[in-house]
Amino acid sequence: TRSTRPQRLLRAVQKKAIKGDPQSVISTIDYFCRHSEWAMNVGDEKGAILDSVVCEVSPSTALELGTYCGYSTVRIARLLPPGTKLITLEFNPDYAAVARQIIEYSGLQDKICLVEGASGDLIPKMQELFGIKTFDFVFLDHWKDRYLPDIKLLEECQLLRKGSILLADNVICPGTPDYLEYVRNSPLYESKYFKSHLEYTKVEDGLEKSVFLG
Ligand SMILES: O=C(NCCCCCn1ccnc1)c1cc(-c2ccc(F)cc2)cc(O)c1O
Ligand SMILES: [Mg+2]
């Protein structure tokens, strides 16, 4: 049967990127998505904003909701100080299988823990599974209707602390209206919108950065 888009993206990485070189994996994916097939990676334009927030936070503990092919996983992990771990949750086993191979190709597997399953089930298990007390940084890029319930779950499980940073992709396109309304109006958060574009297109999109005030 015909290969899937994530499989074709993986094949491009294995063919064109330099093994062990995260930047070449990132550049190869961006080139493939601009010139061959669009795919829902955060992309280079929003990726630069993601990079700057990760560098500013320099998190000891980080969580990514929505791995897809591992593009943003590699972007984040390549900037993490040694000894820190990025936990990334993926519901779709086919995406997870491709992401594992892209993460391994980049050479960053020691900084990343990819867990397959539903974020709603896994978030309450973060303490028992990983001994995580709180997350310094959370990147939201999974189902857009799960952003709000999942940050409420993070609050309930006391996985956020004063100063924890949430960065959410796609707050305009496809859009996460209930999440935006909540983080922009709740006294628990201080929020800021970074205007950008939907990956590899001229369509408006952006990232919302929210600081948990505790
Ligand atoms: O749906 C998206 N991501 C979630 C994928 C499934 C997550 C599964 N999962 C992982 C963990 N828990 C659940 C997404 C979509 C688009 C998009 C934009 C315009 C368009 F016309 C079509 C699509 C752009 C993105 O940047 C996205 O992130
Ligand atoms: Mg996205």
Side-chain angles (χ1 to χ4, degrees):
T1 56
R2 192 170 131 74
S3 65
T4 65
R5 184 169 309 194
Q7 285 169 334
R8 293 192 292 273
L9 194 149
L10 168 63
R11 196 173 59 215
V13 166
Q14 292 168 329
K15 186 160 178 266
K16 301 212 174 58
I18 301 157
K19 200 162 172 40
D21 178 347
Q23 190 53 55
S24 90
V25 168
I26 291 163
S27 305
T28 298
I29 292 173
D30 286 329
Y31 187 90
F32 177 83
C33 293
R34 267 189 198 288
H35 303 287
S36 302
E37 279 191 87
W38 186 91
M40 59 183 169
N41 315 116
V42 74
D44 46 357
E45 190 180 313
K46 289 186 289 178
I49 300 166
L50 170 62
D51 289 356
S52 63
V53 174
V54 171
C55 288
E56 177 197 346
V57 178
S58 191
S60 301
T61 53
L63 174 66
E64 176 181 60
L65 302 177
T67 317
Y68 187 44
C69 294
Y71 173 90
S72 50
T73 320
V74 167
R75 277 203 88 110
I76 295 166
R78 85 193 200 286
L79 299 174
L80 292 180
T84 59
K85 205 85 170 174
L86 170 62
I87 296 167
T88 183
L89 309 185
E90 180 48 59
F91 179 80
N92 182 311
D94 299 324
Y95 296 169
V98 165
R100 288 190 200 287
Q101 295 174 79
I102 287 179
I103 288 162
E104 195 189 321
Y105 198 88
S106 73
L108 291 168
Q109 62 281 354
D110 297 346
K111 290 174 167 286
I112 295 162
C113 185
L114 197 167
V115 188
E116 284 180 52
S119 49
D121 300 335
L122 290 168
I123 286 170
K125 294 183 179 156
M126 284 294 120
Q127 272 113 351
E128 86 186 70
L129 286 174
F130 301 101
I132 297 275
K133 289 209 177 329
T134 58
F135 286 108
D136 300 328
F137 178 77
V138 182
F139 181 55
L140 297 96
D141 194 22
H142 59 331
W143 288 314
K144 308 313 162 193
D145 60 359
R146 284 299 312 178
Y147 285 25
L148 183 53
D150 282 349
I151 66 161
K152 288 187 171 173
L153 196 50
L154 287 165
E155 288 170 19
E156 282 157 32
C157 298
Q158 302 187 325
L159 284 164
L160 301 177
R161 48 108 179 143
K162 274 187 190 2
S164 289
I165 301 291
L166 305 178
L167 189 66
D169 190 25
N170 309 117
V171 296
I172 304 300
C173 177
T176 62
D178 59 345
Y179 174 83
L180 271 190
E181 200 276 330
Y182 180 75
V183 290
R184 289 176 175 176
N185 297 299
S186 163
L188 288 174
Y189 296 93
E190 181 59 42
S191 242
K192 183 180 175 191
Y193 175 61
F194 292 79
K195 186 179 164 101
S196 184
H197 296 94
L198 176 69
E199 47 267 28
Y200 318 115
T201 78
K202 292 186 168 50
V203 174
E204 182 180 344
D205 189 21
L207 300 171
E208 188 81 0
K209 177 188 172 190
S210 307
V211 186
F212 184 65
L213 303 173

